[in-house]
Amino acid sequence: MNEDIEAPAVREMRRMLRLWLARKGWEMERLVGWLRREGLPASDVEQEPYAWLLDGLPLADERYRAENELAARVARLLEMQPDAQPPGEQRDELLYNLLMLCAGLNCPTQLADPLYAMFRRGKLAGSWQGTVLRQVLESALITNQRDDRLQTVWHEMLTRSRHEFLTGDEYAGFEGIRLMPASEAARGRPALDAIGAALAAMAVHLERKRTRRVEFHSLLNRVLHTYPGRPTWNSDLVYQADNHYWPGWAVECLPKLFIPQATLDPDEPDVRALIWHYIPACLPTSCKYEVREKLCNGHVLEVSLSRQAYAFVQSIAPLLERNRLSMTYASERAMRGLVVDALAQLEVQASYRNDHEAALALLETRKQMLESVGIIPDIDTISKSLQIFAKDRQKEKNREAEFLKLVAPVVEMYPELNLKSRASEMNLPNWAVKCLKKVA
């Protein structure tokens, strides 16, 4: 932010913090006072002291040094064991702001050890403005990890959805693993095996949720955004899914399922790749390939593709990948239906190119899948039918019972449909919405 357009109170906080950080003989009392809301700039903005301190850090080139110096001084305060021997009054407010400041600083070199010591003491108690202090300690521990010493803690949250001292559930355990380095020497790099196991545990928690694909996509994206630019992410995740026995629906959430594995050397006759198991069935007979290994319970195949086969897979994979990643329904039958739709589009494209061999191969694959996919629900027709039925039965005494008779088999046949979430779109009366909630 440009200092010229900042609020005067922020500029004043920055000035005070810069002066204090520049002093070699600094006073701990000044930091303690700020954390108790003493000596902060006058402002119309209501925010906690930790936020003032974070806002007061300098910008651009000065920030890194200032953050580390502030973290070193915060560490000195943590080493005084304020959880066991609070300095003076307003203990809960002080501890809340101290730990929130630690979480915001994200400086594990200075803060990991004293925060871990606080956790090991197990004396922290209390809350501030409705937030339990142990929850704030948990956040500070997650963002200030220098090695894997807390892995058993995160694993307990992941598997049991709780911890005997901290407050976190499986999502907090996942966040702990996401930001945990495998060792101090590996800081800045993902702990791949731990992440693979954590995602497997989250898949178990999400198994029965209708939004499981959407939520699992979100977890994967959090991991990818934490460590951007890693060139091997796509194959790394496939091998983690295989090692930790992810369910098929979770494998289908991976960011890529067509991953060339070898340098495209023109002198090499074949290209090795990881591909989604649906793709080989689409290849024309003239496109030669060999399955070298089945991964993820057969959902992903490691194959050697002839140059012709590789070129064909390149032509069909983008549409299949887009459709796969757009799937929001939970069931695998719905995914197969989406693949059938993609194959129909690819068949039309091949016909326009006069590539009759490809069109025939896609047609045959589509026919085989149609036999196994069953009927795909027509959501618009189902919604309109429910609207009409509810309107026609509006004045009948047994309307709820009759409506339930109509809805129950639809939900049983298409478990991936979330009719309750569509109630507002369908403009159903309240009694019909209640019926949908009963069978949801």
Side-chain angles (χ1 to χ4, degrees):
M1 183 185 294
N2 189 322
E3 290 200 23
D4 293 335
I5 61 173
E6 285 180 327
V10 174
R11 293 201 296 271
E12 175 62 14
M13 186 72 238
R14 182 164 294 140
R15 184 191 67 81
M16 292 191 300
L17 187 58
R18 183 182 283 125
L19 289 173
W20 182 69
L21 291 175
R23 290 179 191 153
K24 292 185 178 179
W26 56 277
E27 319 87 13
M28 181 66 75
E29 292 77 11
R30 175 61 63 89
L31 176 59
V32 171
W34 279 337
L35 293 172
R36 286 177 173 153
R37 215 180 290 269
E38 298 167 3
L40 295 173
S43 173
D44 295 334
V45 177
E46 283 291 332
Q47 62 179 5
E48 292 288 348
Y50 78 87
W52 278 111
L53 287 164
L54 292 174
D55 285 346
L57 286 165
L59 306 176
D61 297 341
E62 296 181 67
R63 189 175 184 92
Y64 177 77
R65 173 185 276 181
E67 280 182 336
N68 281 276
E69 180 59 29
L70 177 57
R73 298 185 184 191
V74 167
R76 290 279 300 277
L77 178 53
L78 289 169
E79 289 163 0
M80 295 170 62
Q81 302 187 15
D83 53 317
Q85 304 168 27
E89 301 176 353
Q90 298 167 267
R91 170 188 179 277
D92 289 351
E93 181 178 17
L94 169 69
L95 287 168
Y96 172 82
N97 282 286
L98 173 62
L99 293 172
M100 287 295 290
L101 180 59
C102 291
L105 283 171
N106 188 10
C107 292
T109 299
Q110 296 85 357
L111 299 174
D113 291 344
L115 285 169
Y116 184 71
M118 180 182 288
F119 165 68
R120 293 286 294 169
R121 282 193 296 274
K123 294 184 179 296
L124 184 65
S127 63
W128 176 248
Q129 294 188 346
T131 301
V132 177
L133 294 180
R134 291 180 182 181
Q135 180 181 345
V136 192
L137 172 60
E138 178 184 292
S139 298
L141 288 167
I142 287 173
T143 59
N144 290 282
Q145 299 184 78
R146 61 187 302 174
D147 52 34
D148 66 343
R149 72 184 79 176
L150 287 163
Q151 184 168 356
T152 55
V153 174
W154 310 138
H155 179 73
E156 183 175 348
M157 291 180 185
L158 277 164
T159 54
R160 302 177 61 195
S161 299
R162 63 185 180 85
H163 184 266
E164 60 183 11
F165 181 71
L166 300 176
T167 63
D169 58 8
E170 62 271 19
Y171 289 93
F174 176 79
E175 287 299 291
I177 292 293
R178 178 176 68 88
L179 296 175
M180 181 193 79
S183 66
E184 183 153 12
R187 282 168 62 182
R189 301 198 299 273
L192 282 177
D193 192 63
I195 287 173
L199 286 164
M202 292 304 297
V204 172
H205 289 293
L206 296 172
E207 183 68 38
R208 296 183 179 276
K209 297 184 71 172
R210 289 174 176 168
T211 57
R212 63 187 185 184
R213 291 184 193 266
V214 175
E215 293 192 41
F216 202 76
H217 275 301
S218 177
L219 296 175
L220 285 167
N221 285 334
R222 289 186 68 76
V223 172
L224 296 175
H225 293 156
T226 304
Y227 307 97
R230 182 180 174 87
T232 58
W233 257 133
N234 293 318
S235 54
D236 287 340
L237 288 171
V238 169
Y239 290 122
Q240 287 303 319
D242 182 58
N243 291 342
H244 295 285
Y245 307 102
W246 293 11
W249 66 264
V251 175
E252 290 173 342
C253 293
L254 288 172
K256 276 192 175 293
L257 286 180
F258 170 46
I259 311 164
Q261 293 292 284
T263 303
L264 298 181
D265 185 342
D267 296 329
E268 289 290 331
D270 294 336
V271 179
R272 188 170 295 190
L274 299 173
I275 59 175
W276 196 17
H277 70 101
Y278 287 120
I279 293 177
C282 304
L283 293 172
T285 54
S286 62
C287 293
K288 304 302 180 185
Y289 71 94
E290 177 188 353
V291 176
R292 291 179 170 270
E293 188 176 1
K294 293 183 178 181
L295 303 170
C296 307
N297 199 27
H299 281 80
V300 181
L301 306 174
E302 183 179 337
V303 298
S304 289
L305 298 162
S306 67
R307 290 285 163 169
Q308 183 182 5
Y310 178 73
F312 185 79
V313 172
Q314 277 189 307
S315 71
I316 68 171
L319 179 60
L320 288 167
E321 292 277 69
R322 280 199 304 274
N323 283 21
R324 174 178 64 81
L325 292 172
S326 70
M327 170 55 67
T328 58
Y329 292 139
S331 75
E332 293 191 21
R333 182 180 62 187
M335 177 61 81
R336 290 197 300 273
L338 205 68
V339 174
V340 168
D341 289 342
L343 294 180
Q345 294 178 55
L346 292 167
E347 182 187 335
V348 171
Q349 293 171 14
S351 297
Y352 281 144
R353 296 193 308 269
N354 292 320
D355 190 345
H356 301 300
E357 185 187 12
L360 181 60
L362 292 163
L363 174 62
E364 289 303 316
T365 302
R366 187 162 61 89
K367 283 181 178 178
Q368 292 173 18
M369 291 191 65
L370 279 170
E371 293 175 2
S372 63
V373 77
I375 301 170
I376 306 302
D378 183 338
I379 299 169
D380 292 335
T381 300
I382 291 173
S383 299
K384 186 174 288 187
S385 298
L386 293 177
Q387 280 180 296
I388 294 170
F389 188 92
K391 184 178 180 181
D392 289 346
R393 300 296 194 281
Q394 180 68 25
K395 297 182 179 180
E396 294 186 10
K397 292 183 179 179
N398 64 339
R399 62 188 183 186
E400 287 88 353
E402 292 298 317
F403 193 76
L404 284 170
K405 281 183 185 178
L406 178 69
V407 172
V410 174
V411 172
E412 184 177 352
M413 182 177 295
Y414 306 122
E416 67 273 10
L417 282 179
N418 190 350
L419 291 175
K420 184 177 72 171
S421 69
R422 293 178 170 272
S424 58
E425 300 173 21
M426 290 188 274
N427 196 27
L428 293 172
N430 288 335
W431 64 266
V433 173
K434 290 178 181 178
C435 290
L436 288 180
K437 289 180 179 179
K438 288 181 181 179
V439 295

